[in-house]
Amino acid sequence: MKGYELELVHILTILVTLDFSCNNFSGEIPVFLGGLNALKGLNISHNMLRGTIPSSLGNLTNLEWLDLSANKLSGNIPLQLTDLIWLEILNLSENKLVGPIPNGKQFNTFSNDSFKGNLDLCGFPLSKPCNEEYEGSTMEQENESEDANGFTWKVVLLGYGCGFVFGIFIGYINFFSNGRASLFVKWL
Ligand SMILES: *[C@@H]1O[C@H](CO)[C@@H](O)[C@H](O)[C@H]1NC(C)=O
Ligand SMILES: *[C@@H]1O[C@H](CO)[C@@H](O)[C@H](O)[C@H]1NC(C)=O
Ligand SMILES: *[C@@H]1O[C@H](CO)[C@@H](O)[C@H](O)[C@H]1NC(C)=O
Ligand SMILES: *[C@@H]1O[C@H](CO)[C@@H](O)[C@H](O)[C@H]1NC(C)=O
């Protein structure tokens, strides 16, 4: 704040949407994001995120929109995402996802637009049916170990027309290799 760096221990409950879209984030989606259960919207589209979608995102039970489009996410869509019963908008398009699209609950309401441009997804609402090999399976997730020494998201939100966090949040997040995160926030 005005030149001072504050470390927030808790995410403020007013901070209910995160828009990190159109940055150059690489690495994987941190599992701990699933702990931010006040979130109503999460947009990390148009980055260079790889690895699988963490099943912990299914813990974000207040989520109304989730946009992970235009990244390099691979593996299957976790079944846990069907736990997001308030989800109105889902966009997983333009990734490298494979396997069956989960069904039930909100997943019955999304159109094929939500899933297009992936490597090899199948099942409703896409026209491609799933082979037996996928039946009832919890498909093995691809394991990408290339970021073994951790990764860094440098969030420089000011100056990007695209993503910002609820309009009042600039700062950066460092995710350290042990999975813990410190969130440094500057308030305008
Ligand atoms: C998500 O919920 C499960 C089961 O309640 C719990 O074991 C897990 O630690 C949670 N994950 C996060 C990131 O909060
Ligand atoms: C999903 O995201 C892609 C790429 O960001 C975009 O072109 C498309 O319009 C979006 N689709 C929906 C249904 O929001
Ligand atoms: C998506 O749905 C529309 C209309 O329901 C259909 O015309 C189109 O072929 C479908 N695309 C894919 C990839 O399944
Ligand atoms: C996510 O951000 C992109 C780019 O800023 C935007 O086009 C898209 O509409 C956003 N998605 C949602 C669900 O708001």
Side-chain angles (χ1 to χ4, degrees):
M1 185 184 284
K2 297 192 192 284
Y4 292 92
E5 212 165 61
L6 301 178
E7 185 171 346
L8 296 186
V9 180
H10 298 288
I11 295 284
L12 300 184
T13 50
I14 59 161
L15 195 66
V16 290
T17 71
L18 280 179
D19 187 343
F20 287 146
S21 62
C22 304
N23 283 288
N24 277 318
F25 297 155
S26 53
E28 300 185 8
I29 300 177
V31 171
F32 85 91
L33 272 186
L36 306 179
N37 54 15
L39 277 189
K40 288 200 188 299
L42 178 62
N43 190 345
I44 45 182
S45 66
H46 299 270
N47 284 294
M48 297 186 297
L49 299 170
R50 52 182 68 239
T52 55
I53 300 172
S55 56
S56 70
L57 292 192
N59 290 11
L60 297 174
T61 46
N62 290 306
L63 216 53
E64 291 168 14
W65 43 271
L66 174 63
D67 192 342
L68 308 179
S69 65
N71 280 291
K72 296 175 177 173
L73 299 169
S74 55
N76 295 109
I77 301 173
L79 291 175
Q80 287 83 349
L81 292 192
T82 60
D83 295 339
L84 305 177
I85 55 168
W86 299 110
L87 202 59
E88 275 172 41
I89 300 174
L90 174 72
N91 196 342
L92 303 179
S93 62
E94 311 301 332
N95 278 294
K96 296 177 173 177
L97 299 166
V98 297
I101 295 170
N103 44 42
K105 299 180 194 163
Q106 291 309 96
F107 270 74
N108 293 342
T109 69
F110 303 129
S111 75
N112 62 14
D113 279 349
S114 296
F115 304 101
K116 67 182 176 196
N118 276 287
L119 210 55
D120 194 19
L121 286 174
C122 62
F124 179 83
L126 296 180
S127 39
K128 182 179 196 274
C130 293
N131 299 332
E132 299 84 45
E133 58 173 307
Y134 290 134
E135 293 231 328
S137 69
T138 35
M139 298 298 296
E140 211 179 301
Q141 306 262 322
E142 243 175 77
N143 216 348
E144 303 217 0
S145 53
E146 60 191 80
D147 294 306
N149 59 348
F151 49 85
T152 306
W153 286 13
K154 285 221 165 99
V155 184
V156 185
L157 293 154
L158 216 67
Y160 282 93
C162 211
F164 64 97
V165 180
F166 209 55
I168 50 170
F169 173 76
I170 54 171
Y172 63 88
I173 297 179
N174 277 320
F175 298 110
F176 298 106
S177 47
N178 63 1
R180 290 172 57 89
S182 333
L183 184 55
F184 301 92
V185 179
K186 289 178 182 174
W187 295 91
L188 286 179

